[in-house]
Amino acid sequence: MSHSMKNLETRLNLRLLNRTTRNVSLTEAGQQLFEQLFPLYQAINNEVDALNDFLSTPSGLIRINAPAVAAEAVLYPKLKPILN
């Protein structure tokens, strides 16, 4: 992450972080950038989290080839709860 920040500072030609051997803090420019970008970062995270709904919700078509007796006796009772 420190390399990414250093690259960003180089690209902007602006110091965003004050660094010492014991501490890292935002410069005034870094604080301004943080305040502007943080709501956007939160929105992106919320949208990515919302995509998890696709992972936990089964969807799509299932085709099973089986003899009618096996489908009625074994498969249908197991599949009945998810057929809707």
Side-chain angles (χ1 to χ4, degrees), residues 12 15 45 61 64 84:
L12 296 173
R15 189 176 194 141
N45 274 337
L61 179 65
I64 300 173
N84 291 335

Side-chain angles (χ1 to χ4, degrees), residues 4-76:
S4 296
M5 286 304 299
K6 192 66 174 161
N7 289 339
L8 179 60
E9 288 177 329
T10 300
R11 181 174 154 212
L12 296 173
N13 196 27
L14 186 64
R15 189 176 194 141
L16 300 173
L17 298 173
N18 292 316
R19 298 170 186 84
T20 67
T21 56
R22 295 179 182 252
N23 193 18
V24 175
S25 62
L26 291 170
T27 63
E28 188 175 339
Q31 183 66 38
Q32 179 180 326
L33 183 63
F34 174 79
E35 289 171 4
Q36 293 296 316
L37 294 181
F38 188 70
L40 300 172
Y41 174 76
Q42 284 183 313
I44 291 169
N45 274 337
N46 291 341
E47 292 303 318
V48 169
D49 288 343
L51 293 175
N52 287 330
D53 292 342
F54 288 106
L55 296 175
S56 61
T57 305
S59 64
L61 179 65
I62 298 174
R63 291 181 191 229
I64 300 173
N65 291 324
V69 173
E72 290 176 21
V74 179
L75 296 175
Y76 184 70

